[in-house]
Amino acid sequence: MTTQYSGPALVEIADLMLTDLDGVAYLGQQEAPYAAEGIAAARERGVHPVYVTNNSSRPPAKVAQHLSSLGIPTEATDVINTAITGVMQVAQHVPAGSKVLAVGGEGVFEALRDAGFDVVTSAEDDPAAILQGFAEHVSWVELSEIALAIRKGALYVATNLDATMPRERGETIGNGSLVAAVVNATGVEPLSAGKPAPDMYKLAVERTGLSSPIAIGDRLDTDMVGANAAGIISVHVLTGVSQVRDVLLASAQARPRVLARDLRDLGIAYAPVDKDGDVWRCETAKACVKDGQLLVDDAPIAGSLTLNQYRAAASAAWEASDAGVTFDAESIPAVVSVR
């Protein structure tokens, strides 16, 4: 059973916030809801933000420039992407200076060159490895070069396996969907340097030398699983991909320790969520599973919950799931706002 965090505001206990980008700091070219406000408030309390993202398409300097343009002042050294961790993974398997087939955005090419690899773009160059990252221009041509290189024996590494990525208009195709085409053609599964592997989080903590991190994300299957695997307090926000219904039905390894609406909630104290007989309570809110229904304040979930109702409902749903008690998941609306 996942124990939810309770205690002082997170900005009072943390010195480092490892923050995802897509769906947390921004949505494409727009600021995610209340991101600049929440990050600024955390910085004022002495919490240092580092941006840890599965998106490898741009080098850190350009990501920092983008964030700064949205009112989130950022240095390139505060951005860690999967191009960086992907190169680390490649370096563990092939000799320094080897030829590496690069596919993706500028971030992939720059990270490989900075590490001293000989970057190539064709299977005809007999690369020792492949590093595949996301870029909007990636097409059949590049994916076919990967497949050809794999068949010639090249090591296959992907920066991440995210099936989708959040943009202004909704969820679009992510790197994992492009990787799936290669896997379908070759039968070869890549190594992956991105979340949910905990490597990025651990690298970020090592780089800063700070000791009390929290990890913030919008995706359960990557951000939350990775943070939990790294032993870092996981904070889920509702500004991106995974929503309330997803959280209530989450597997044990994907459950957040902290349920938040957006980054402003880093500045609020969290009341305990405790079991009282058959009911979970968070201050005046209560939730339970009864007769195959998840009930909040004695009623099925409608379209809106308070934060405390949401937290109580999560503990009730998670306990039932862990105990093998089934409830009508379809009764939980696909869209639930938290106020």
Side-chain angles (χ1 to χ4, degrees):
M1 173 67 188
T2 302
T3 302
Q4 293 190 53
Y5 169 81
S6 63
L10 293 169
V11 294
E12 297 182 16
I13 67 164
D15 55 12
L16 173 64
M17 51 190 290
L18 305 176
T19 304
D20 186 45
L21 287 175
D22 295 294
V24 178
Y26 53 61
L27 297 169
Q29 296 303 310
Q30 299 177 359
E31 175 203 355
Y34 307 108
E37 179 182 341
I39 292 168
R43 293 187 73 141
E44 288 176 4
R45 299 299 295 270
V47 185
H48 180 66
V50 170
Y51 301 94
V52 182
T53 175
N54 271 3
N55 191 337
S56 64
S57 60
R58 297 179 297 172
K62 289 196 173 181
V63 174
Q65 184 180 26
H66 180 192
L67 286 167
S68 297
S69 74
L70 298 175
I72 306 172
T74 306
E75 299 294 330
T77 51
D78 291 330
V79 178
I80 297 177
N81 63 24
T82 48
I84 295 169
T85 53
V87 168
M88 292 170 57
Q89 203 160 34
V90 169
Q92 292 173 351
H93 293 87
V94 302
S98 294
K99 293 180 179 180
V100 179
L101 174 64
V103 172
E106 184 182 350
V108 171
F109 287 76
E110 181 179 290
L112 284 167
R113 291 193 183 105
D114 287 349
F117 287 106
D118 183 3
V119 178
V120 300
T121 56
S122 171
E124 294 301 308
D125 293 313
D126 295 323
I130 303 148
L131 183 58
Q132 179 184 353
F134 177 80
E136 293 179 357
H137 62 73
V138 173
S139 70
W140 176 90
V141 174
E142 288 86 2
L143 298 182
S144 294
E145 290 300 323
I146 295 173
L148 291 167
I150 289 172
R151 292 195 176 94
K152 295 179 78 170
L155 172 75
Y156 185 24
V157 178
T159 58
N160 73 84
L161 300 176
D162 293 0
T164 63
M165 58 191 305
R167 293 292 179 90
E168 300 94 333
R169 294 168 57 198
E171 290 184 53
T172 59
I173 287 176
N175 195 56
S177 294
L178 301 177
V179 168
V182 176
V183 173
N184 187 57
T186 64
V188 175
E189 297 279 352
L191 301 175
S192 176
K195 298 173 281 187
D199 306 61
M200 294 181 69
Y201 290 122
K202 293 178 178 179
L203 173 63
V205 174
E206 289 172 5
R207 274 192 174 189
T208 63
L210 298 173
S211 59
S212 299
I214 58 174
I216 309 163
D218 67 306
R219 300 182 71 115
L220 300 178
D221 58 346
T222 55
D223 303 321
M224 299 299 100
V225 172
N228 291 338
I232 296 171
I233 294 175
S234 52
V235 183
H236 179 262
V237 292
L238 294 167
T239 52
V241 173
S242 301
Q243 293 298 304
V244 170
R245 188 175 191 275
D246 305 309
V247 171
L248 298 182
L249 301 178
S251 63
Q253 65 269 26
R255 294 170 187 164
R257 287 283 313 283
V258 180
L259 304 185
R261 293 160 291 193
D262 54 62
L263 292 178
R264 294 176 299 175
D265 283 349
L266 301 179
I268 65 171
Y270 272 76
V273 183
D274 295 321
K275 187 78 179 292
D276 179 13
D278 294 330
V279 174
W280 284 90
R281 295 183 181 273
C282 184
E283 295 190 322
T284 60
K286 62 181 181 178
C288 66
V289 172
K290 183 178 180 181
D291 298 329
Q293 292 285 315
L294 176 60
L295 304 177
V296 176
D297 290 342
D298 301 317
I301 294 175
S304 178
L305 297 171
T306 66
L307 180 58
N308 284 345
Q309 287 175 328
Y310 175 34
R311 297 180 65 220
S315 286
W318 295 346
E319 180 190 47
S321 177
D322 290 348
V325 176
T326 58
F327 58 91
D328 183 12
E330 296 303 317
S331 67
I332 304 171
V335 179
V336 180
S337 63
V338 180
R339 60 188 190 276

